Amino acid sequence: MQKLVDANDHEIDTLLKRLKPTTKFEYASKEEAEFYGANKPRFVNPWVLHEGKLVQLSELTPGLEQYFDDFKKQHQNLGIKQIAS
């Protein structure tokens, strides 16, 4: 981070100013997005004790595995843009 600050480059400085907790972003369509690119959705599929055996929750919940797959396909790419402050 310090190397970026020390670069003394206008474009880098402009981007660094956006790295504040108060900077707000929102999801955006491909056409409106400042950044649009690959997304890697993650899911929690915990192990649970069922009838004395450890099994993953998706094995006990009909349709959950299909939901994960469909969601990944639908959200392969993601767009974001900064909200005006």
Side-chain angles (χ1 to χ4, degrees), residues 10-72:
H10 177 70
E11 186 175 352
I12 292 173
D13 291 342
T14 300
L15 293 171
L16 287 175
K17 286 178 185 173
R18 296 174 72 184
L19 293 178
K20 297 178 185 175
T22 56
T23 304
K24 305 289 185 203
F25 292 89
E26 66 183 6
Y27 295 115
S29 66
K30 184 176 184 177
E31 297 75 30
E32 295 179 333
E34 290 178 55
F35 170 81
Y36 186 83
N39 183 33
K40 203 168 183 182
R42 303 266 197 277
F43 300 96
V44 176
N45 190 12
W47 292 92
V48 295
L49 190 59
H50 178 71
E51 296 178 356
K53 288 182 12 182
L54 283 176
V55 296
Q56 286 192 287
L57 184 62
S58 62
E59 295 177 42
L60 301 174
T61 309
L64 188 58
E65 195 68 42
Q66 185 64 46
Y67 171 80
F68 289 160
D69 291 340
D70 292 346
F71 189 91
K72 286 179 198 176

